[in-house]
Amino acid sequence: MFESAELGHRIDKETYRKEVAPLREALLDTQLDLLESRNCPVIVLIAGMDGAGKGETVNKINEWMDPRHIDTYVFGPPSDEEAERPPMWRYWRTLPPKGKIGIYFGSWYTDPILKSADGKLENEALEEALERIVRFEQMLIDEGALVLKYWFHLSKEKQKERMKKLENDPLTRWRITDQDRKHLKIYDELKTVAEGVLRETSTAGAPWIVVESFDANYRNLTVGKHIQQAIRERLDEKPARSSTLNAPPLKVAIDSTNLLSQLDLTKRIEDKEYDKKLERYQAKLNKLTRDPKFTKMSVICVFEGADAAGKGGCIRRITEAVDARFFRVIPIAAPSEEERTQPYLWRFWRHIPRLGNVTIFDRSWYGRVLVERVENFCSEYDWMRAYGEINDFEEQLALHNFLVVKFWLQISKEEQLQRFEARQNTPYKRFKITKEDWRNRDKWEAYEAAACDMIDRTSTDSAPWTVVEANDKNFARIKVLKTLCERVEKAL
Amino acid sequence: MFESAELGHRIDKETYRKEVAPLREALLDTQLDLLESRNCPVIVLIAGMDGAGKGETVNKINEWMDPRHIDTYVFGPPSDEEAERPPMWRYWRTLPPKGKIGIYFGSWYTDPILKSADGKLENEALEEALERIVRFEQMLIDEGALVLKYWFHLSKEKQKERMKKLENDPLTRWRITDQDRKHLKIYDELKTVAEGVLRETSTAGAPWIVVESFDANYRNLTVGKHIQQAIRERLDEKPARSSTLNAPPLKVAIDSTNLLSQLDLTKRIEDKEYDKKLERYQAKLNKLTRDPKFTKMSVICVFEGADAAGKGGCIRRITEAVDARFFRVIPIAAPSEEERTQPYLWRFWRHIPRLGNVTIFDRSWYGRVLVERVENFCSEYDWMRAYGEINDFEEQLALHNFLVVKFWLQISKEEQLQRFEARQNTPYKRFKITKEDWRNRDKWEAYEAAACDMIDRTSTDSAPWTVVEANDKNFARIKVLKTLCERVEKAL
């Protein structure tokens, strides 16, 4: 992997000067086209050996381009707000919107590489981490991002030489930290690990670019030209990248039996029993969320179901039981302007709470495989890949002590009709039945099929779906509360 | 202030039951109207004596209304991300958008009241804090927010009684903290301070509502009904609150001499001298931002000036000197959809950096008193009050070790014409001269008058304007760098 990066590439001063002027022009031109077209976000990862001049090159890129539309991020130890979320949260919150460039100085690779070279990460754990990274980057690419990854390489001798040079100059001495000295000692381990990591995470959509880094001129020109060409190529792609897919159908319906059709929707709880059970489970939930151990976890509830399935009513039975200081309900409607400039999961990541909280999503990221699928708001390829992406997202939450509890509320088509009519006739309830609700109703079967696929493909050990028979509101609410209590109790 | 809240108000169980049903209906109805109309954000502050049942009432409000459109915030010790910004940042980041309700459990009043009762805040400092609060709330009101402030009062005897009651019940004992016990000991001091604070911060637009709190039924009903009526009244106001103002003109121009017209725009620096100075000041700025003490401060640079005045060029000369990891350039254009649901300063607060950073605003909050004034995008009242609001904003930054450095780049009308024409004839530069640029040019005099007023009214000791003669780009860039270096050096 590093063979070509130990050849001693050099660019002399004069050639450099001659090359830089047109490169700057091209970079600025490309950047402005990117900005105006809002074609895609550009995510630039800068990684590599210590003392390889990563900082200098990043500064050069900023100098050559318009710094108003580049954001450079450096990732030190996480802040307390970051430490309470899954590790990827800090990267999600900084993703550049379409048309902008984000430079990541240190990234999701830093931890796995350093820990592994230090012997603090088993091979198997490293493999898992890398797989997750590959899937994450694939998602970024599928969402339209241009992902550019640069590895700044120095041979051991060159690294020693460069560090000595930096140390001898009082103006640059501050740059050499104890950590750098330590890393030089484990150069061979770092190189071996890095080589493996780069190989496994070089994908067709996001290959690593290894840059020999001893000579600043060569390094800067290489990265500058590569960035320029990569963005320009992306802009020139015509027509825009289409995501067509010739996938086999997810299911062939031989009979009419499916996950939802075979539910017993006649299940009921009488009012008197309901009142008793409601009190019991609300008290229990209240107690559970006041458990001292609860401050070390968070709960994410997801509610999905047809219109008028009773999501709001179930949510209220939960919020009534939890101190208002510790819950938040996030109603999900169409994405905002800012949210539309980002990968679709971005707007959910921004609501991931700190520890000790209950966050309830009234509709959720599952819109991707429900309404967006049925209404053709996204391509088949987009919703097909969403199953895996969503599982990855929820896995990250689960690994970080977030309990993910998902409810699908199922009502019959007849029950929905009755509720729609009741709403229309009860002005004070103020629930509006819109034309859209009636339109969605016409696609009942398509939504049901989408829901079945969703439940099949995103019920995981750590985040299983609970299907709730919801024709009877009493029954549904109690089942939701009971399930939630059991999950929280088990997690504590 | 508390007289009426020690009368022993009580509501019996039956009356309560009878009142609650229609109140819930009215609350839900009002909340939905608020949501649909997006009339205003509703900011509810809950403050008062310990053990007065604040938490219970907040939970009740959440139960009575639709919790999907209420966010309740509790403010404990600041997170490290909060601690590195001015104290008000944590409130700004949680402000509800139009149509939503934010309940603040603990607020900007908590600190001044507790510190003052504890003897840790001098009277004078308390006065200053309160004045700042009054101005902040006035700004919220002027921006259209409905601000509701409730003080939950208990007489000393009742507080003792209630705390004993809570302590005797194993289910509620956890609620009484050591802090509560301490506060009971200083009850009289707290009461005196609170009385003064409430008096001084009860304004026409945001009066305090004191609620006798011993009886839960009375307390809940009072707050519930008050919230309902306040929102309903606001929704019923027709036509929408107009902010007309019959203010005296800011200036009568007797002659043509003003701050800007008397500048010597012939000032120049020759290229050779420029290169030398540029290198010197960039090196200096680089060194200053690497000073260990710099990690305890942040710099906010503001650039304003006519189109083609050279803001971008000056900004680049700064960013070239600062490590890309520590600067961020924020280009300000029209506000986004989310930003439009918030007070106009909100979109600047969200970019306030952590410590150790340089943030450069390419245009800024001064748009309010420049383009928005000249183009009539806001009312006279709105831009008139902005001078004071902006001064308050910058004062908060300055008090928190943020150095605010503001540049007005002044060019002559002729110079602008030349630059416009040059841009039009240099396709590679890709600067677009839009119709809007020519339109703005037609209003040159109005913009100049607005700029003069702005400089007059927002040059403060801690955040003075530097007016830069910018007909010569060399001169302008050096003056900007030199000024910035001097300000940072002095601040370190």
Side-chain angles (χ1 to χ4, degrees):
Chain A
M1 197 92 205
F2 298 135
E3 291 72 12
S4 307
E6 300 193 350
L7 299 175
H9 287 289
R10 267 183 183 288
I11 298 288
D12 63 81
K13 235 172 154 176
E14 204 188 333
T15 314
Y16 183 70
R17 230 191 335 248
K18 247 191 294 185
E19 298 259 357
V20 162
L23 172 58
R24 289 184 72 157
E25 231 173 81
L27 274 169
L28 269 175
D29 195 57
T30 308
Q31 191 189 9
L32 277 163
D33 280 340
L34 172 71
L35 187 70
E36 277 166 19
S37 67
R38 292 179 191 262
N39 180 299
C40 62
V42 179
I43 297 165
V44 179
L45 303 194
I46 302 288
M49 296 298 181
D50 293 316
K54 300 190 287 283
E56 287 167 49
T57 298
V58 167
N59 283 325
K60 203 47 96 178
I61 300 298
N62 269 279
E63 194 186 314
W64 287 343
M65 299 177 87
D66 187 334
R68 287 177 295 184
H69 310 297
I70 303 181
D71 280 330
T72 304
Y73 294 99
V74 59
F75 295 93
S79 73
D80 51 13
E81 297 196 15
E82 288 170 342
E84 293 187 21
R85 271 94 168 190
M88 293 304 287
W89 187 76
R90 64 199 315 213
Y91 304 113
W92 275 95
R93 72 197 292 216
T94 53
L95 286 181
K98 284 174 187 159
K100 294 246 183 180
I101 300 169
I103 299 185
Y104 288 70
F105 207 118
S107 69
W108 39 90
Y109 287 99
T110 315
D111 245 31
I113 292 180
L114 288 184
K115 278 194 185 151
S116 180
D118 231 9
K120 284 180 195 150
L121 198 67
E122 299 292 319
N123 262 342
E124 208 180 324
L126 176 65
E127 286 305 314
E128 263 179 49
L130 297 185
E131 269 174 45
R132 253 180 244 130
I133 286 175
V134 168
R135 288 199 303 269
F136 172 68
E137 292 180 355
Q138 186 58 44
M139 180 276 300
L140 291 175
I141 293 160
D142 285 333
E143 288 291 300
L146 180 60
V147 181
L148 305 173
K149 307 188 291 195
Y150 301 99
W151 182 269
F152 287 48
H153 182 72
L154 278 182
S155 66
K156 198 171 181 178
E157 293 64 42
K158 293 291 187 193
Q159 189 175 15
K160 272 190 207 157
E161 197 179 326
R162 219 179 114 80
M163 275 172 73
K164 204 181 277 173
K165 197 174 145 202
L166 287 169
E167 264 187 320
N168 288 343
D169 183 344
L171 271 176
T172 54
R173 190 177 300 149
W174 61 279
R175 290 205 195 152
I176 305 294
T177 63
D178 285 348
Q179 209 191 30
D180 294 334
R181 288 184 197 99
K182 192 185 133 199
H183 289 168
L184 182 56
K185 271 191 209 138
I186 55 167
Y187 179 93
D188 294 324
E189 288 84 348
L190 268 176
K191 184 176 167 186
T192 308
V193 170
E195 192 145 27
V197 168
L198 264 58
R199 212 179 323 107
E200 293 203 34
T201 56
S202 262
T203 57
W208 276 99
I209 311 301
V210 176
V211 184
E212 180 167 357
S213 297
F214 188 69
D215 181 63
N217 293 347
Y218 175 78
R219 188 181 67 221
N220 295 344
L221 268 191
T222 303
V223 175
K225 284 193 169 188
H226 188 270
I227 288 180
Q228 191 272 325
Q229 282 177 24
I231 301 178
R232 178 52 67 197
E233 271 179 27
R234 164 61 63 93
L235 294 172
D236 287 346
E237 269 176 32
K238 271 171 214 236
R241 293 148 53 79
S242 78
S243 316
T244 50
L245 179 76
N246 292 308
L250 288 185
K251 204 171 274 171
V252 176
I254 302 295
D255 57 20
S256 63
T257 302
N258 66 33
L259 260 179
L260 299 173
S261 71
Q262 52 85 44
L263 288 174
D264 177 7
L265 294 181
T266 64
K267 287 185 185 172
R268 297 181 55 78
I269 296 184
E270 296 309 318
D271 285 354
K272 217 170 140 186
E273 196 194 337
Y274 169 74
D275 288 341
K276 235 172 35 194
K277 288 197 168 167
L278 181 69
E279 205 185 323
R280 190 202 312 161
Y281 287 116
Q282 284 190 331
K284 188 166 179 186
L285 184 59
N286 181 270
K287 210 175 146 204
L288 287 167
T289 55
R290 286 193 283 106
D291 190 301
K293 280 177 286 181
F294 193 79
T295 59
K296 300 280 172 232
M297 64 178 286
S298 263
V299 175
I300 311 271
C301 286
V302 170
F303 281 87
E304 293 286 354
D307 295 321
K311 296 185 288 295
C314 287
I315 290 171
R316 290 185 64 137
R317 298 316 175 284
I318 296 174
T319 59
E320 280 168 16
V322 180
D323 194 303
R325 287 171 285 186
F326 305 119
F327 74 75
R328 187 134 296 140
V329 186
I330 315 288
I332 296 298
S336 74
E337 185 184 318
E338 269 180 75
E339 290 169 341
R340 284 194 302 271
T341 68
Q342 293 282 359
Y344 74 101
L345 284 171
W346 185 82
R347 66 192 188 111
F348 307 105
W349 271 99
R350 68 194 297 213
H351 292 297
I352 297 305
R354 299 182 67 173
L355 296 176
N357 286 282
V358 177
T359 302
I360 302 169
F361 286 90
D362 183 358
R363 303 201 188 271
S364 68
W365 42 94
Y366 284 101
R368 189 73 162 187
V369 294
L370 295 171
V371 56
E372 292 192 47
R373 166 183 173 177
V374 174
E375 308 290 344
N376 286 318
F377 292 159
C378 66
S379 69
E380 184 181 13
Y381 177 65
D382 287 336
W383 61 260
M384 282 286 284
R385 65 183 164 86
Y387 297 117
E389 291 161 357
I390 287 172
N391 286 336
D392 288 344
F393 170 43
E394 294 178 359
E395 186 194 39
Q396 286 182 66
L397 293 170
L399 285 173
H400 205 72
N401 235 6
F402 281 67
L403 183 68
V404 182
V405 189
K406 307 183 291 199
F407 296 102
W408 172 265
L409 304 192
Q410 177 67 14
I411 52 173
S412 65
K413 207 171 167 184
E414 298 69 40
E415 178 66 25
Q416 189 190 46
L417 184 64
Q418 281 177 28
R419 292 190 187 177
F420 275 15
E421 284 167 352
R423 285 183 177 185
Q424 271 179 330
N425 299 331
T426 314
Y428 110 77
K429 272 202 166 179
R430 294 292 313 282
F431 288 103
K432 287 235 177 98
I433 299 294
T434 62
K435 276 187 193 158
E436 205 185 309
D437 292 325
W438 290 105
R439 255 202 312 276
N440 291 345
R441 193 174 149 75
D442 288 340
K443 298 190 183 159
W444 184 273
E445 285 70 28
Y447 275 103
E448 194 163 281
C452 287
D453 287 336
M454 170 189 83
I455 295 164
D456 271 337
R457 285 159 200 281
T458 59
S459 252
T460 57
D461 275 351
S462 56
W465 276 100
T466 300
V467 178
V468 179
E469 301 84 348
N471 267 12
D472 180 58
K473 287 181 182 178
N474 289 353
F475 182 86
R477 290 167 186 178
I478 296 301
K479 183 163 178 180
V480 163
L481 276 172
K482 185 164 174 269
T483 306
L484 182 57
C485 284
E486 286 167 359
R487 296 282 311 278
V488 175
E489 197 165 23
K490 219 174 123 197
L492 280 174
Chain B
M1 198 90 205
F2 298 135
E3 291 72 12
S4 307
E6 299 193 350
L7 298 175
H9 287 290
R10 265 183 186 288
I11 297 288
D12 63 79
K13 233 172 157 177
E14 203 188 337
T15 314
Y16 183 70
R17 232 192 334 248
K18 247 191 294 186
E19 300 258 355
V20 162
L23 173 58
R24 290 184 71 157
E25 230 173 81
L27 274 169
L28 269 175
D29 194 57
T30 308
Q31 191 189 10
L32 276 163
D33 279 340
L34 172 70
L35 187 70
E36 276 165 22
S37 66
R38 292 178 191 263
N39 181 300
C40 64
V42 178
I43 297 165
V44 179
L45 303 194
I46 302 288
M49 296 297 182
D50 293 316
K54 299 191 286 286
E56 288 168 49
T57 298
V58 168
N59 282 327
K60 202 48 95 179
I61 300 298
N62 269 279
E63 195 186 313
W64 287 344
M65 301 177 87
D66 187 335
R68 288 177 295 184
H69 310 297
I70 304 180
D71 281 329
T72 304
Y73 294 99
V74 58
F75 295 94
S79 73
D80 50 12
E81 296 195 13
E82 288 170 344
E84 292 187 21
R85 271 95 168 189
M88 292 303 286
W89 188 75
R90 64 198 315 212
Y91 303 114
W92 275 94
R93 73 195 292 216
T94 54
L95 286 181
K98 284 175 190 159
K100 294 245 183 181
I101 300 170
I103 299 185
Y104 288 70
F105 206 116
S107 69
W108 38 89
Y109 286 99
T110 315
D111 246 30
I113 292 180
L114 287 183
K115 278 194 184 152
S116 181
D118 229 9
K120 286 179 192 150
L121 198 67
E122 298 293 318
N123 262 343
E124 208 178 324
L126 176 65
E127 287 304 315
E128 263 180 50
L130 297 185
E131 269 175 44
R132 253 180 244 133
I133 286 175
V134 167
R135 289 200 303 270
F136 171 67
E137 292 180 354
Q138 187 58 48
M139 180 277 299
L140 290 176
I141 293 160
D142 285 333
E143 289 289 302
L146 179 61
V147 181
L148 304 174
K149 307 188 291 194
Y150 301 99
W151 182 269
F152 286 48
H153 181 71
L154 278 183
S155 67
K156 197 172 181 179
E157 292 65 40
K158 293 289 187 193
Q159 189 176 16
K160 270 190 210 156
E161 199 179 324
R162 217 178 117 78
M163 274 171 76
K164 203 181 278 172
K165 199 172 141 202
L166 287 171
E167 264 187 321
N168 287 343
D169 183 345
L171 272 176
T172 54
R173 190 175 300 148
W174 62 279
R175 288 204 196 152
I176 306 294
T177 63
D178 285 348
Q179 208 190 32
D180 295 332
R181 290 186 195 97
K182 191 183 134 201
H183 290 167
L184 182 56
K185 271 191 207 136
I186 57 168
Y187 179 95
D188 295 324
E189 290 84 348
L190 268 174
K191 184 176 168 185
T192 309
V193 171
E195 191 145 27
V197 168
L198 264 57
R199 211 177 325 104
E200 293 204 34
T201 56
S202 262
T203 57
W208 276 99
I209 311 301
V210 177
V211 184
E212 181 167 355
S213 298
F214 188 69
D215 181 63
N217 293 345
Y218 175 78
R219 186 181 69 219
N220 295 343
L221 268 191
T222 303
V223 175
K225 283 192 170 189
H226 188 270
I227 288 180
Q228 192 273 324
Q229 282 176 24
I231 301 177
R232 177 54 66 198
E233 271 178 26
R234 164 61 64 94
L235 293 173
D236 287 347
E237 269 175 31
K238 275 176 212 241
R241 295 147 52 78
S242 78
S243 316
T244 51
L245 179 74
N246 293 309
L250 287 184
K251 204 171 273 171
V252 175
I254 303 294
D255 56 20
S256 65
T257 302
N258 66 33
L259 259 178
L260 299 173
S261 70
Q262 54 85 44
L263 288 174
D264 176 7
L265 294 181
T266 64
K267 288 185 183 170
R268 297 181 55 80
I269 295 185
E270 296 310 318
D271 284 356
K272 217 170 141 187
E273 196 193 339
Y274 169 74
D275 288 342
K276 237 173 31 196
K277 287 198 168 166
L278 181 68
E279 204 185 324
R280 190 203 312 160
Y281 286 116
Q282 284 190 332
K284 188 166 178 186
L285 184 59
N286 182 270
K287 210 176 145 202
L288 287 167
T289 55
R290 284 193 285 106
D291 190 301
K293 279 178 283 181
F294 193 78
T295 59
K296 301 280 173 233
M297 65 178 285
S298 262
V299 175
I300 311 272
C301 285
V302 170
F303 281 87
E304 294 284 355
D307 295 319
K311 295 185 289 296
C314 287
I315 289 171
R316 290 183 63 136
R317 298 314 174 286
I318 296 174
T319 58
E320 280 167 16
V322 180
D323 194 306
R325 289 171 284 187
F326 305 119
F327 73 76
R328 185 135 296 140
V329 186
I330 315 287
I332 295 297
S336 75
E337 183 186 318
E338 268 179 77
E339 289 168 344
R340 285 194 302 271
T341 69
Q342 294 282 0
Y344 74 101
L345 284 171
W346 185 83
R347 66 192 188 112
F348 307 106
W349 271 100
R350 68 194 296 213
H351 293 297
I352 297 306
R354 299 181 67 172
L355 297 176
N357 286 283
V358 178
T359 302
I360 303 168
F361 286 90
D362 182 357
R363 303 199 187 274
S364 69
W365 42 94
Y366 284 100
R368 189 76 163 184
V369 294
L370 295 170
V371 58
E372 291 192 47
R373 167 183 173 177
V374 174
E375 307 291 345
N376 287 316
F377 292 160
C378 66
S379 71
E380 184 181 13
Y381 177 66
D382 287 337
W383 60 260
M384 282 286 282
R385 65 184 164 86
Y387 297 118
E389 291 161 355
I390 287 171
N391 286 337
D392 287 343
F393 170 45
E394 293 177 359
E395 186 195 38
Q396 285 183 66
L397 292 170
L399 284 173
H400 203 75
N401 234 6
F402 280 68
L403 183 69
V404 182
V405 189
K406 307 183 290 197
F407 297 102
W408 173 265
L409 303 191
Q410 178 67 15
I411 52 174
S412 65
K413 209 172 166 182
E414 299 69 42
E415 177 66 23
Q416 189 189 45
L417 185 62
Q418 281 175 28
R419 292 190 187 179
F420 275 14
E421 283 167 352
R423 284 182 178 187
Q424 271 179 329
N425 300 331
T426 316
Y428 109 76
K429 273 203 170 178
R430 295 290 312 283
F431 288 103
K432 287 235 177 100
I433 299 294
T434 62
K435 276 186 194 161
E436 204 184 309
D437 292 325
W438 290 104
R439 255 203 312 277
N440 291 345
R441 194 174 148 75
D442 287 341
K443 299 189 183 159
W444 183 274
E445 285 71 27
Y447 274 103
E448 194 163 280
C452 287
D453 287 336
M454 171 188 83
I455 294 164
D456 271 338
R457 286 161 199 278
T458 59
S459 253
T460 58
D461 276 351
S462 56
W465 276 99
T466 299
V467 178
V468 180
E469 301 84 348
N471 267 10
D472 180 58
K473 287 181 182 178
N474 289 352
F475 182 85
R477 291 167 185 179
I478 296 301
K479 183 163 178 179
V480 163
L481 276 172
K482 185 164 174 271
T483 306
L484 182 57
C485 284
E486 286 168 0
R487 296 280 313 278
V488 174
E489 196 164 25
K490 219 175 122 197
L492 279 175

